[in-house]
Amino acid sequence: MPNMYKSVAYETYQESDAFANGVEAQLPAEGSIPRGYTPFDIANTNEGYLEAKANLKNKLDSTQIDFAKAGPLYAVYCAICHGNKGNGQGTLVKREKILGIPSYDDAGRAITEGSVYHTIYYGKNAMGSYANQLNEQERWQVVAYVMQLKADLEK
């Protein structure tokens, strides 16, 4: 029984008779959700954005917000376009790779916690979604950081 001592190595995408579709790698069962996943029930539409903007509030209370963690997350995922101060003057904007990034204190945008979270989750215009890069708590940390930058710009 050599397989008991030395197991057969399988490659992820190799052909296999073990499954009906003939491939070793399989998708998760339909309807399954990853551990720790919390569904976001607001739609990825303009109406959903407006609903989030009007009604969605940060799920973290003030004792759970950690700007020491939020700052580096913002620096990695947001500052390249939005700038370190949230003024829309990130490196890509300065190099004219992306144009039209408004400042967080732009009165025409009037961002809220909900609109920022919705935008991080789904993306908006040229900005893509960061839902796969940031877990729910990290997204809310970044939202708090963005709102702090907005408050600093409005002073």
Side-chain angles (χ1 to χ4, degrees):
M1 297 221 238
N3 288 349
M4 296 294 286
Y5 301 109
K6 188 174 180 184
S7 63
V8 178
Y10 293 102
E11 293 294 325
T12 306
Y13 298 105
Q14 78 182 25
E15 293 181 15
S16 170
D17 296 331
F19 299 102
N21 67 356
V23 178
E24 197 65 40
Q26 298 295 303
L27 294 173
E30 188 174 331
S32 64
I33 59 171
R35 212 174 264 178
Y37 172 77
T38 305
F40 185 52
D41 295 330
I42 299 176
N44 183 15
T45 62
N46 285 335
E47 293 78 20
Y49 175 80
L50 295 174
E51 177 187 343
K53 185 174 184 173
N55 302 317
L56 190 60
K57 301 291 180 210
N58 197 330
K59 296 186 189 250
L60 304 179
D61 64 35
S62 61
T63 63
Q64 296 173 305
I65 295 171
D66 185 355
F67 288 109
K69 289 182 182 177
L73 290 172
Y74 178 87
V76 168
Y77 296 108
C78 313
I80 192 76
C81 295
H82 293 279
N84 291 327
K85 297 179 181 180
N87 58 0
Q89 294 299 307
T91 304
L92 292 179
V93 173
K94 289 179 182 176
R95 293 181 181 171
E96 297 182 355
K97 302 292 182 190
I98 296 176
L99 300 175
I101 306 291
S103 176
Y104 291 144
D105 67 341
D106 181 11
R109 292 179 71 210
I111 61 172
T112 66
E113 292 175 337
S115 68
V116 173
Y117 188 88
H118 190 277
T119 302
I120 291 171
Y121 194 88
Y122 289 119
K124 189 163 181 72
N125 299 328
M127 179 180 151
S129 169
Y130 286 90
N132 288 330
Q133 289 84 359
L134 300 167
N135 65 37
E136 183 181 20
Q137 184 171 7
E138 291 171 334
R139 289 190 294 266
W140 283 118
Q141 296 282 353
V142 171
V143 166
Y145 193 83
V146 167
M147 297 312 291
Q148 182 61 51
L149 290 175
K150 177 185 180 207
D152 291 346
L153 289 168
E154 290 174 340
K155 288 181 185 176

